[in-house]
Amino acid sequence: MVCVLLLFVGFSLIWSSAFIVGKVAIAHLDPIVLLAARFLLGSICLLPFVLWQGRKFWQWPTIRFGAIAGVLNNTLYLGLSFLALQTVPAPLLVVIISCAPLLTSAFAVASGQEPLNAARFVGFTICIAGVVCVAAWQPAAGAGLDHAAMFSSGALVGYAMAIGGTVAFAFGTVFLKSRAMGASPVDVNFWQSLVGGLVLLPLALFRVPDVGQWAVMFDGPVLLSILYLAIVITLGAMFLWLYLIGRFGASKAAAAHLINPLSGLVLSAVILGSDVSLVQVMGAVLIGFGLYIAVFHPVHQRDRALIK
């Protein structure tokens, strides 16, 4: 169980670091331009690996599968999330995105992939309570939320984008699980990165038509951020994500994202020197307890399936 827990925590730390690193680049570069560059560079890095594996990655089922995953996970989920980050208070955005496991479970149950049992339902509910404690309470400002900013017109549009991205990610997770049998993670990652970058490229050109402004991506901090996102996140974290889905199922793998607020809290404290409140520590304990119930706790026969 320790190895499994380390897999979940390690994935969450790597995945969450993308948002901290991304903030460095977003301060100088449009988020859609950043994502397009990240995914296209990631696909280039993956190309030698897919060529080494042979021609299977050229087969139409693999291309179609990877392309749909790219639209759902890269274009919609990350594109909408990064756009929402410009107008939605960061704590609320984290809470919205961290609800993905509940949506994933709902989609998995609705599609007949997985049963709904009491332990999973209770565990995820406890995790969501912990997520709210970790993300919504900022020590520097009490409740930490500017009500005027929360309900501005720009924030409302951002909420819609964040919710849409979360739904796309949850649906994409279930889609990957249902059709990943026999598909190589390298091939899937290549096509979803390539398609994600190609779909975002026209939008990036529309948002920033002066390509000369893109030259900022070659500045030191921005370039390092793009390289980190393309290599460590697009390659490393995505491979680990596909592995978790294949081994544990869609909803259990998605539970790893419930650790993201805690991971973001730790990374912010260590790297950015952010303060940590007692409420956030209590939220972290709730997340760990809920995750144990939902993912690791054995299911008894009497509550093995509430819905099949």
Side-chain angles (χ1 to χ4, degrees):
M1 188 181 98
V2 175
C3 293
V4 174
L5 185 59
L6 289 176
L7 275 176
F8 275 68
V9 173
F11 167 79
S12 178
L13 285 171
I14 297 173
W15 193 276
S16 299
S17 69
F19 292 95
I20 293 180
V21 173
K23 283 186 178 181
V24 177
I26 287 178
H28 308 280
L29 190 64
D30 180 85
I32 299 301
V33 175
L34 169 67
L35 289 175
R38 165 190 169 177
F39 294 136
L40 291 175
L41 178 59
S43 64
I44 292 174
C45 293
L46 283 166
L47 185 59
F49 296 98
V50 295
L51 291 176
W52 178 76
Q53 286 194 144
R55 20 175 123 161
K56 187 177 180 180
F57 83 102
W58 281 113
Q59 295 178 358
W60 173 242
T62 302
I63 297 175
R64 180 181 57 191
F65 173 60
I68 296 175
V71 171
L72 292 172
N73 289 341
N74 292 354
T75 304
L76 292 177
Y77 163 58
L78 289 174
L80 290 172
S81 297
F82 270 62
L83 287 173
L85 192 59
Q86 296 180 311
T87 57
V88 175
L92 289 181
L93 181 62
V94 172
V95 170
I96 293 171
I97 294 176
S98 295
C99 290
L102 292 180
L103 291 174
T104 301
S105 289
F107 289 149
V109 170
S111 64
Q113 284 190 34
E114 301 175 6
L116 176 64
N117 57 65
R120 183 174 299 171
F121 179 81
V122 171
F124 281 167
T125 302
I126 294 174
C127 283
I128 292 301
V131 166
V132 173
C133 291
V134 171
W137 189 275
Q138 302 299 311
L145 300 176
D146 183 345
H147 291 281
M150 285 171 57
F151 298 105
S152 66
S153 57
L156 292 176
V157 174
Y159 295 146
M161 290 190 293
I163 293 171
T166 304
V167 171
F169 178 74
F171 184 79
T173 301
V174 176
F175 173 82
L176 284 171
K177 172 60 179 177
S178 65
R179 292 168 174 80
M181 298 301 294
S184 166
V186 177
D187 296 342
V188 173
N189 205 0
F190 170 76
W191 285 113
Q192 76 171 9
S193 297
L194 179 62
V195 171
L198 291 177
V199 172
L200 288 172
L201 186 58
L203 181 58
L205 289 169
F206 175 78
R207 289 174 59 88
V208 187
D210 183 4
V211 183
Q213 297 182 23
W214 294 28
V216 71
M217 71 175 61
F218 297 106
D219 292 346
V222 180
L223 179 59
L224 289 176
S225 298
I226 293 175
L227 289 174
Y228 180 87
L229 291 171
I231 298 174
V232 177
I233 305 299
T234 300
L235 274 67
M238 189 55 67
F239 280 141
L240 187 53
W241 174 238
L242 293 173
Y243 172 78
L244 290 175
I245 293 175
R247 177 172 176 180
F248 299 104
S251 61
K252 286 188 176 181
H257 289 279
L258 291 169
I259 315 175
N260 289 353
L262 174 59
S263 298
L265 182 68
V266 172
L267 292 173
S268 296
V270 173
I271 298 175
L272 304 178
S274 301
D275 294 328
V276 178
S277 71
L278 179 61
V279 174
Q280 290 175 316
V281 174
M282 292 173 59
V285 174
L286 285 175
I287 292 172
F289 181 61
L291 188 64
Y292 169 77
I293 294 176
V295 179
F296 305 112
H297 191 269
V299 178
H300 298 293
Q301 186 65 37
R302 66 177 180 273
D303 62 347
R304 182 166 297 275
L306 299 178
I307 299 176
K308 289 187 178 181

